[in-house]
Amino acid sequence: MATTNDIKNGTVLKLEGQLWNIIEFQHVKPGKGGAFVRTKMRNVMSGKVVDKTFNAGLKIETATVDRRDYQYLYQDGEDFVFMDTQDYDQIHVSGATVGDATNFMLENQMVNIAIHEGIPLYIELPASVVLEITYTEPGLQGDRSSAGTKPATVETGYEIQVPLFVEQGTKVKVDTRDGSYLGRVND
């Protein structure tokens, strides 16, 4: 058991028999009345995001979650196979658990997997990844970075918006949270 004072981003709480991951939290001490903690939480299984407020000092149940680094190996039907880099054990994670991370994962890429009681809960990718543009319409002479964007397909098959001057074969940095273009990468 812990109290609301122990809440941090990434903490996993057990509420009403379900696991909730804290995305954001804020301790609030109004001038009048008692302090409280305002949180934004994501249901680990369904992905549903809710706002919840707790009174300060309230006892809450936290779940023991083991976060370890794994290497993505390959896709096996609907499942994805990852290898623990410390003991070389392989685990199968369902496509539903991997979710949108498939848009940014390449083979041999390192990811962080949260596991509770032997069950993979979710996958955390790095904040950004480098991907190669496999298809985009050619840019026109005089295209500038401020002129707009065009769709481009990256090597995972995901489509992102890039500036008009980006060409096929270019390596770009992509934000894994929202799929936005962050810039070109020079080898």
Side-chain angles (χ1 to χ4, degrees), residues 50-61:
V50 298
D51 293 326
K52 187 159 176 74
T53 302
F54 299 98
N55 290 331
L58 182 72
K59 290 200 180 299
I60 52 174
E61 187 177 356

Side-chain angles (χ1 to χ4, degrees), residues 3 15 21 25 31 40-41 52 60 107 121 125 147 150 154-155 170:
T3 66
L15 298 173
N21 184 19
F25 74 99
K40 184 181 275 189
M41 306 185 301
K52 187 159 176 74
I60 52 174
E107 290 182 358
L121 300 177
L125 291 172
K150 62 182 178 180
V154 294
E155 56 192 308
T170 305

Side-chain angles (χ1 to χ4, degrees), residues 75-80 82 92-102 123:
Q75 185 172 356
D76 183 19
E78 292 294 313
D79 291 351
F80 293 81
F82 295 88
H92 289 255
V93 180
S94 71
T97 302
V98 174
D100 291 339
T102 59
I123 291 179

Side-chain angles (χ1 to χ4, degrees), residues 1-184:
M1 290 297 259
T3 66
T4 54
N5 299 330
D6 300 324
I7 289 178
K8 295 178 182 63
N9 287 347
T11 302
V12 178
L13 304 179
K14 202 178 227 180
L15 298 173
E16 299 156 10
Q18 295 190 345
L19 297 176
W20 296 85
N21 184 19
I22 302 291
I23 302 169
E24 295 175 11
F25 74 99
Q26 179 181 19
H27 288 276
V28 180
K29 179 138 177 50
K32 195 174 192 178
F36 58 91
V37 180
R38 188 178 293 135
T39 63
K40 184 181 275 189
M41 306 185 301
R42 177 182 289 121
N43 186 309
V44 171
M45 293 310 195
S46 69
K48 179 180 169 186
V49 177
V50 298
D51 293 326
K52 187 159 176 74
T53 302
F54 299 98
N55 290 331
L58 182 72
K59 290 200 180 299
I60 52 174
E61 187 177 356
T62 57
T64 305
V65 175
D66 183 26
R67 289 180 175 83
R68 297 179 82 173
D69 288 329
Y70 284 84
Q71 183 178 16
Y72 170 54
L73 296 179
Y74 58 91
Q75 185 172 356
D76 183 19
E78 292 294 313
D79 291 351
F80 293 81
V81 180
F82 295 88
M83 179 181 68
D84 188 333
T85 55
Q86 294 174 349
D87 58 14
Y88 304 109
D89 280 345
Q90 292 184 8
I91 63 168
H92 289 255
V93 180
S94 71
T97 302
V98 174
D100 291 339
T102 59
N103 298 330
F104 310 107
M105 283 190 329
L106 294 174
E107 290 182 358
N108 301 321
Q109 181 176 345
M110 297 303 294
V111 298
N112 195 291
I113 301 179
I115 299 175
H116 174 68
E117 296 176 355
I119 300 169
L121 300 177
Y122 56 89
I123 291 179
E124 294 174 345
L125 291 172
S128 64
V129 292
V130 175
L131 298 171
E132 185 175 330
I133 303 289
T134 56
Y135 177 77
T136 187
E137 295 294 327
L140 300 172
Q141 182 67 29
D143 284 343
R144 300 287 178 256
S145 61
S146 61
T149 61
K150 62 182 178 180
T153 306
V154 294
E155 56 192 308
T156 61
Y158 187 65
E159 190 173 279
I160 63 171
Q161 291 294 318
V162 297
L164 296 172
F165 62 83
V166 174
E167 298 173 353
Q168 191 168 317
T170 305
K171 289 193 182 232
V172 295
K173 188 180 270 193
V174 180
D175 188 326
T176 58
R177 294 171 300 229
D178 59 7
S180 62
Y181 167 85
L182 296 174
R184 287 186 291 186

